[in-house]
Amino acid sequence: RALPMDLESLEQLRTRFLAERPALEEVAATARAILRTVAANAGVTCRISVRTKDVASILKKVVHKGYADPWEQVTDKIGARIVVHRPSDVDLICAAIAADDRIAVLRVEDKRGHEPGQFDYSGVHVQTRIDALSGASAEVEVQARTGPQDFWSDVSHTLLYKPIVEAPPPVRHAVVRLLALVELMDEEVERV
């Protein structure tokens, strides 16, 4: 594990991020337009949101993770979320992203397969590189998931991942139990 960053290094990271934010915003706008076109061409009904991470979130992540090379290790400076109706739509949108020549797919992390009895986050993360017309280029982490998965992710992120204090065991247990309902709802939506 890397040693925590000193204040001078954090300030340098903050300064660099703020200087590069306009280029990141331009790539984010390009990603939004490309992903909307990709979804429309694939016939996938979805909600797409794209955002550039705020500086406070980057600094908090760097300190929490103890990154040795934070600029390179924070790969979600730009994040995109694609929320679809059916679990099978996740596969369709991911295939459409991989087939689009404007998007360079760097790696795919499919988090849907779990051990029996294990409940955890489900979704697919596609790490991409997207270029804006100006020549600005950046990695964009694209998360594809269903509506129920998205709802659970938002709730669990607030209660378990980024809390000020750790949630007590009954709260952690209740959040994990919700995953069973998410899986059931996704299965029923797909079936219907």
Side-chain angles (χ1 to χ4, degrees):
R1 181 170 162 90
L3 295 174
M5 292 185 71
D6 59 66
L7 289 178
E8 183 178 332
S9 298
L10 284 172
E11 179 57 26
Q12 289 171 353
L13 176 64
R14 187 186 77 76
T15 301
R16 180 176 182 183
F17 180 75
L18 291 174
E20 298 204 25
R21 189 172 180 104
L24 293 172
E25 291 287 352
E26 186 177 353
V27 173
T30 301
R32 186 177 300 108
I34 290 172
L35 291 172
R36 285 182 178 154
T37 302
V38 166
N41 290 344
V44 176
T45 303
C46 59
R47 282 183 287 123
I48 297 173
S49 60
V50 181
R51 60 91 184 114
T52 302
K53 200 174 202 73
D54 65 70
V55 70
S57 292
I58 285 192
L59 296 176
K60 183 177 177 182
K61 183 173 190 168
V62 165
V63 169
H64 178 72
K65 300 273 188 174
Y67 288 148
D69 185 1
W71 189 257
E72 293 302 317
Q73 289 177 281
V74 176
T75 59
D76 63 343
K77 293 178 205 74
I78 302 171
R81 185 178 298 176
I82 302 175
V83 181
V84 299
H85 294 297
R86 299 174 304 156
S88 59
D89 290 339
V90 171
D91 294 318
L92 290 174
I93 197 69
C94 289
I97 288 169
D100 194 286
D101 61 358
R102 298 168 294 176
I103 303 172
V105 174
L106 305 175
R107 65 186 169 280
V108 176
E109 186 178 1
D110 190 336
K111 300 178 178 224
R112 295 175 292 181
H114 302 296
E115 295 295 320
Q118 177 188 2
F119 292 100
D120 203 354
Y121 170 82
S122 289
V124 178
H125 291 195
V126 183
Q127 194 68 28
T128 68
R129 176 163 292 283
I130 295 178
D131 302 328
L133 290 175
S134 69
S137 180
E139 286 190 32
V140 178
E141 181 185 87
V142 179
Q143 299 178 358
R145 54 192 178 211
T146 65
Q149 290 167 347
D150 186 57
F151 173 76
W152 181 88
S153 177
D154 284 345
V155 169
S156 68
H157 202 258
T158 301
L159 294 175
L160 302 180
Y161 182 67
K162 290 192 174 183
I164 295 171
V165 295
E166 185 174 338
V171 171
R172 292 194 312 266
H173 180 74
V175 171
V176 171
R177 280 185 25 213
L178 288 172
L179 274 171
L181 297 175
V182 166
E183 288 184 12
L184 287 169
M185 184 167 181
D186 277 344
E187 287 177 9
E188 287 304 297
V189 167
E190 189 74 55
R191 185 180 66 79
V192 170

